[in-house]
Amino acid sequence: MAPERKFFVGGNWKMNGNKKEIDGIIAFLTAGPLDPNTELVCGVPSCYLDYCRQQLPATIGVAAQNCYKVAKGAFTGEISPAMIKDVGVGWVILGHSERRNVFGESDNLIGEKVNHALSEGLKVIPCIGEKLEERESGKTEEVVFSQLKAIVDKIPQDKWDDIVIAYEPVWAIGTGKTASPQQAQEVHGKLRQWLSDNVNAEVARKTRIIYGGSVTAENCRELAKEADIDGSLVGGASLKPDFIHIVNANQ
């Protein structure tokens, strides 16, 4: 990782946790110790956003796991960036593979969501990644570049400081299969080169690209050593005390 890019760890709780369990997570995160040189953000179920923002230390960011592309209206079941900001939360995860593949969100919709969230002042973790059959048929670059373009086309030039890109190969999420550090670095390097070619060299140099997909306390340090891996987006492991080791993987 380049020194100018601050190490970033996102804990995506997904649809997990109740108040008692969340109090336990808050307790181990508060106790730490956490590397002060790592930016930590927790992705929280929407009904607990307000509670977590009030209970977590101010040094730990909170993210919604999804939001819609407009400020308000007749969109039952959705939340807007304005609502997320109203409860003091500053981040949102968008385009996670579960949103794409379970709920059928298109590249275009995700791009529109990213654009609206940025315009409302949220920071965004947009997610991209290929399925197993796409990797095995040699389509990894085609898929992730297409997903990235749909997002990048909607990012205003002055909003790049509010973006952390997450590369999550779908075949490695929750499966116990992890891309090797070399496999992950290869894709991260190509993503950074794509940004240089299609946005500009400064954006490519400064934008953090984090890896997600069965990140654990055991493999996090090897991943963190790679030049273009600037942190991780962690699922189930973020619910357990060992998550502290992942946060501190760059020490």
Side-chain angles (χ1 to χ4, degrees), residues 6-250:
K6 187 173 186 178
F7 198 71
F8 185 100
V9 174
N12 179 14
W13 299 358
K14 305 190 180 185
M15 197 175 73
N16 291 299
N18 53 39
K19 276 244 181 115
K20 182 180 179 183
E21 292 166 344
I22 287 169
D23 283 342
I25 297 169
I26 290 168
F28 74 65
L29 289 175
T30 301
L34 303 176
D35 181 353
N37 297 312
T38 293
E39 184 169 7
L40 172 59
V41 175
C42 292
V44 173
S46 57
C47 56
Y48 298 120
L49 284 168
D50 192 13
Y51 181 74
C52 289
R53 182 59 288 165
Q54 290 182 42
Q55 299 299 318
L56 278 167
T59 50
I60 299 175
V62 176
Q65 298 175 11
N66 184 37
C67 65
Y68 199 50
K69 63 179 182 178
V70 294
K72 59 182 178 180
F75 303 102
T76 301
E78 291 287 345
I79 61 172
S80 70
M83 294 171 176
I84 294 166
K85 282 194 72 180
D86 193 43
V87 294
V89 169
W91 288 85
V92 64
I93 301 167
L94 290 172
H96 191 278
S97 65
E98 289 147 10
R99 300 302 314 172
R100 294 174 184 271
N101 300 317
V102 179
F103 298 100
E105 294 188 4
S106 67
D107 291 353
N108 187 58
L109 174 61
I110 292 160
E112 291 175 332
K113 287 183 173 191
V114 170
N115 178 267
H116 180 62
L118 290 169
S119 73
E120 292 284 295
L122 287 181
K123 296 182 178 183
V124 179
I125 305 168
C127 304
I128 58 175
E130 82 283 7
K131 298 177 186 174
L132 182 59
E133 59 267 28
E134 292 166 338
R135 171 168 279 270
E136 290 180 340
S137 60
K139 292 182 177 176
T140 294
E141 289 178 44
E142 177 187 337
V143 170
V144 296
F145 290 167
S146 176
Q147 292 172 342
L148 186 58
K149 185 179 190 309
I151 293 163
V152 166
D153 285 349
K154 301 285 187 176
I155 299 175
Q157 196 60 40
D158 64 345
K159 290 291 186 179
W160 274 100
D161 287 347
D162 295 338
I163 290 283
V164 174
I165 297 168
Y167 167 61
E168 293 199 300
V170 180
W171 50 272
I173 297 174
T175 61
K177 296 179 181 177
T178 311
S180 70
Q182 295 74 28
Q183 284 176 312
Q185 165 59 28
E186 181 182 13
V187 178
H188 280 235
K190 288 175 178 174
L191 291 169
R192 201 173 301 286
Q193 185 60 50
W194 189 95
L195 289 173
S196 183
D197 294 342
N198 293 276
V199 185
N200 62 57
E202 183 182 18
V203 163
R205 191 175 70 252
K206 289 184 175 180
T207 300
R208 291 173 290 184
I209 306 175
I210 61 176
Y211 171 79
S214 297
V215 177
T216 66
E218 288 70 42
N219 64 25
C220 61
R221 289 187 179 277
E222 291 304 310
L223 287 161
K225 288 176 184 175
E226 297 294 336
D228 291 298
I229 298 178
D230 303 311
S232 53
L233 184 59
V234 184
S238 68
L239 305 170
K240 302 167 186 172
D242 267 1
F243 182 52
I244 298 295
H245 298 299
I246 300 175
V247 176
N248 297 338
N250 203 42

